[in-house]
Amino acid sequence: MNTQRGYTLIEVIVAFALLALALTLLLGTLSGAARQVRNADEISRATLHAQSLLAVQGVQAPLLPHREQGEFEQGHYHWTLDVARYDDPHQRQGDRQSVGAPELLQLTLAVRWGEDARQRLQWRTLRLVLAAVAGTPP
């Protein structure tokens, strides 16, 4: 008696369906990972540009209260820098600074890219400048 053993058509179809499901899950995971890597790269580049922009503030010209805008990488990143006097919440009303005393300026830098509102980073820092440089009348 010659009996041949093999797989039935149903078994082969089920095996291919399981293989297709596994490959679909694997490709979904890989595309999610690629998206996260791209997002991390954009955040890193935005941070590097912001650090370099903040580092040069007050180096070439005196730091004065103002607003400035620009872009990096042929318009991929847009930035806005606001420089304003820092209002100390712990300073009492009516207390005056002595003439010629250093003054704190707050620098707020916002960098945005892409269409999504979540593609935005903001930094705040303080700089100590002489009152005469900050534009305070003597």
Side-chain angles (χ1 to χ4, degrees):
M1 193 183 297
N2 192 2
T3 59
Q4 292 182 345
R5 306 238 341 127
Y7 297 103
T8 64
L9 182 59
I10 297 294
E11 291 172 330
V12 171
I13 290 173
V14 168
F16 275 120
L18 289 175
L19 180 65
L21 179 64
L23 287 176
T24 302
L25 292 174
L26 179 66
L27 289 176
T29 302
L30 290 176
S31 70
R35 194 175 318 112
Q36 287 179 344
V37 167
R38 185 179 63 245
N39 190 30
D41 178 56
E42 287 182 330
I43 289 172
S44 296
R45 289 186 2 229
T47 301
L48 288 173
H49 287 306
Q51 286 175 338
S52 66
L53 183 63
L54 287 172
V56 300
Q57 294 303 308
V59 173
Q60 294 176 345
L63 194 57
L64 300 170
H66 72 286
R67 180 183 197 122
E68 192 176 346
Q69 296 179 337
E71 58 186 39
F72 300 119
E73 294 187 16
Q74 291 85 34
H76 183 70
Y77 296 96
H78 300 277
W79 58 268
T80 303
L81 175 67
D82 287 312
V83 179
R85 287 182 178 80
Y86 177 70
D87 294 324
D88 188 357
H90 302 291
Q91 188 176 12
R92 292 184 305 221
Q93 286 285 7
D95 282 356
R96 289 202 40 140
Q97 241 180 301
S98 61
V99 175
E103 184 177 9
L104 277 176
L105 294 180
Q106 179 174 305
L107 286 72
T108 304
L109 176 62
V111 178
R112 61 183 165 72
W113 65 96
E115 301 284 327
D116 192 356
R118 292 176 295 183
Q119 293 174 310
R120 180 180 193 274
L121 293 173
Q122 183 171 316
W123 295 265
R124 283 194 180 135
T125 186
L126 297 174
R127 295 283 173 88
L128 189 64
V129 296
L130 295 176
V133 173
T136 304

